[in-house]
Amino acid sequence: MNFGFSFFVGYRYWHARKANAFASFITLFAVSGIFLGVAALIVVSSVMNGLEGQLKNRILGAVPQLTLISDTGFDDWQTSVLAVKQDKRLQHDIMGIVPSATTQGMLQSSSNIAAAQVLGVFPELEQGLSSIISHTYSSAFDALTPGSYAIVLGSELARKLGVKPDDEIRILSGDGVVYSPLGPVPSQRKFKVAGVFEMGAQVDATVAYVHYQDARRLMRQDPEVISELRVYLDDPFNVASITPLITHSLSEQGVAVTSRDWRADFGHLFAAVKMEKNMMSLMLSLIVAVAAFNIVSALVMMVVDKTTDVAVLKTQGLTTAAVMNIFIVQGSLNAVLGLVIGTLTGIVLTLNLNEILTTLGISILGAGQTLPVQLSLTQLTVIVVGTLFITLIATIYPALRAAQVQPATALRYE
């Protein structure tokens, strides 16, 4: 007998009205558990993806994702950049490479003092690459010209210093220290606040931008020398695999560099988000696992109810494998029903989550703020396939019990 017969009998058993009301309740509970588990897993995973994506855009779009440092300076940085961009292994991973200067400094205003990372950039080269420019009030970046000593501050940093555009602040840099009879004296210069940017993340309190040449002068270094290149990546999370390829490509051109990436400063934050995301997924996956155990209970009860039927079918020549297939089909249909309903519900809730919360008058993040939501097709596929696999495994034990029925014993008193 082929699988078609097993599927037909299994479908009839699944579709028929259950004589045992308790078995029907267990089956309903199992289907509901899979439905709720899958729907919750899709919604929560999408929100966590949105949070991770929002942090990636707001933080990694403002700080150097990957910095290449040459101790002696790049003789011809444009040629080096061109060589990297022409590497076929990197063509789809790099958005752009521009000169950069980085120093840690103390920013002092008339009312307060704060530490910040001061980034020196060429504003015209940052267009289309840095997300900071699109989050800057007015056209502050246009004021970053050589010798102007203008600075663009993060909004929280500006509030902490108590300054506004056109105010002056003093920057002290440890990279330009000189030694005098009175001890080490840091390099310092006055800068004029050109404007403020706001990313809505912690970089607003720790990052400031100046022109590249002004940053080099602050560090008491030659403003015409390029010693750092800032790499913008299509996906900053791939920095670990991309960095060796870039350094190898440059070494082939005779350029020796060291690298520094975002993980040094923000790796712990994204590691915590990833761990929280994984733990939430694990907790919700347990709902699906519990529902799978309920499928086992329902099928075991069905095997007990259908012992006589199975014995009769085996006397008619039904094989052990065919008997197993009958109950595997029955249990899988319960799983598929819960999975389909849960998947559709989860997708609909995810795509309309903020509208639903607004209609219900629920504000999780506060008035006027919406939850970041990002539905991942890959993650959705993993949830569906994983649920099918767990529930399929759950049907094997009851199916084996049914296949072990001995016709002579089962029909002895019939």
Side-chain angles (χ1 to χ4, degrees), residues 32 39-40 60 67 88-89 93 128 203 225 241 243 248 287 342 367 401:
S32 300
L60 301 187
T67 303
K88 294 182 179 180
R89 299 170 299 176
D93 296 314
V203 293
V225 174
S241 59
T243 301
H248 181 263
I287 298 177
R401 286 286 304 272

Side-chain angles (χ1 to χ4, degrees), residues 49-70:
N49 288 340
L51 173 62
E52 188 177 60
Q54 191 177 75
L55 287 176
K56 183 194 295 187
N57 293 332
R58 291 182 175 182
I59 294 179
L60 301 187
V63 300
Q65 300 167 4
L66 173 62
T67 303
L68 305 174
I69 306 167
S70 173

Side-chain angles (χ1 to χ4, degrees), residues 127-194:
Q127 296 291 337
L129 296 175
S130 176
S131 58
I132 285 288
I133 296 178
S134 60
H135 288 79
T136 302
Y137 295 107
S138 68
S139 55
F141 263 77
D142 295 338
L144 301 184
T145 56
S148 65
Y149 293 103
I151 185 170
V152 178
L153 303 173
S155 57
E156 187 61 32
L157 184 58
R159 279 192 288 269
K160 184 175 182 180
L161 293 173
V163 295
K164 59 184 183 299
D166 296 329
D167 287 349
E168 286 191 341
I169 62 173
R170 183 180 298 275
I171 301 180
L172 294 85
S173 171
D175 287 318
V177 172
V178 294
Y179 293 90
S180 70
L182 299 178
V185 179
S187 173
Q188 55 181 302
R189 280 184 181 272
K190 285 187 176 182
F191 281 76
K192 185 177 181 180
V193 179

Side-chain angles (χ1 to χ4, degrees), residues 15-337:
H15 190 263
R17 185 179 181 86
K18 308 291 191 299
N20 190 328
F22 186 68
S24 299
F25 173 76
I26 294 295
T27 301
L28 176 63
F29 191 78
V31 172
S32 300
I34 293 174
F35 151 64
L36 292 174
V38 170
L41 195 54
I42 292 173
V43 173
V44 172
S45 297
S46 298
V47 172
M48 294 300 294
N49 288 340
L51 173 62
E52 188 177 60
Q54 191 177 75
L55 287 176
K56 183 194 295 187
N57 293 332
R58 291 182 175 182
I59 294 179
L60 301 187
V63 300
Q65 300 167 4
L66 173 62
T67 303
L68 305 174
I69 306 167
S70 173
D71 293 335
T72 58
F74 294 91
D75 294 333
D76 187 350
W77 71 270
Q78 291 96 337
T79 302
S80 299
V81 168
L82 184 61
V84 172
K85 288 185 175 180
Q86 289 179 343
D87 191 326
K88 294 182 179 180
R89 299 170 299 176
L90 298 167
Q91 287 180 349
H92 302 291
D93 296 314
I94 296 178
M95 296 174 58
I97 304 177
V98 296
S100 175
T102 307
T103 181
Q104 301 294 330
M106 295 298 295
L107 280 62
Q108 183 180 17
S109 67
S110 58
S111 59
N112 210 342
I113 188 171
Q117 184 181 48
V118 181
L119 302 176
V121 298
F122 289 99
E124 62 276 11
L125 299 180
E126 298 287 329
Q127 296 291 337
L129 296 175
S130 176
S131 58
I132 285 288
I133 296 178
S134 60
H135 288 79
T136 302
Y137 295 107
S138 68
S139 55
F141 263 77
D142 295 338
L144 301 184
T145 56
S148 65
Y149 293 103
I151 185 170
V152 178
L153 303 173
S155 57
E156 187 61 32
L157 184 58
R159 279 192 288 269
K160 184 175 182 180
L161 293 173
V163 295
K164 59 184 183 299
D166 296 329
D167 287 349
E168 286 191 341
I169 62 173
R170 183 180 298 275
I171 301 180
L172 294 85
S173 171
D175 287 318
V177 172
V178 294
Y179 293 90
S180 70
L182 299 178
V185 179
S187 173
Q188 55 181 302
R189 280 184 181 272
K190 285 187 176 182
F191 281 76
K192 185 177 181 180
V193 179
V196 173
F197 69 85
E198 186 166 17
M199 297 293 292
Q202 65 189 81
V203 293
D204 292 341
T206 59
V207 175
Y209 282 83
V210 300
H211 192 276
Y212 176 85
Q213 293 188 4
D214 292 347
R216 295 280 295 183
R217 291 189 181 97
L218 172 65
M219 299 159 64
R220 290 198 174 103
Q221 297 175 358
D222 188 344
E224 302 300 329
V225 174
I226 305 296
S227 60
E228 289 185 12
L229 293 177
R230 181 177 179 179
V231 183
Y232 285 93
L233 302 175
D234 182 62
D235 185 358
F237 287 173
N238 294 333
V239 67
S241 59
I242 294 174
T243 301
L245 298 178
I246 296 178
T247 54
H248 181 263
S249 180
L250 289 173
S251 66
E252 291 179 341
Q253 306 298 319
V255 180
V257 297
T258 57
S259 62
R260 182 179 67 242
D261 61 66
W262 61 267
R263 292 175 298 173
D265 296 320
F266 298 98
H268 62 285
L269 172 63
F270 286 94
V273 172
K274 184 176 181 180
M275 182 182 68
E276 184 178 359
K277 177 181 173 181
N278 291 337
M279 291 304 299
M280 290 294 293
S281 298
L282 176 62
M283 291 173 59
L284 293 172
S285 297
L286 293 177
I287 298 177
V288 177
V290 171
F293 281 112
N294 288 328
I295 288 178
V296 174
S297 303
L299 280 182
V300 168
M301 298 179 70
M302 180 59 67
V303 169
V304 173
D305 286 344
K306 300 298 182 181
T307 298
T308 302
D309 294 1
V310 171
V312 171
L313 289 172
K314 294 188 75 171
T315 61
Q316 298 298 316
L318 197 66
T319 64
T320 298
V323 173
M324 288 186 62
N325 288 338
I326 289 174
F327 291 94
I328 288 176
V329 166
Q330 186 179 354
S332 297
L333 287 173
N334 289 329
V336 169
L337 178 62

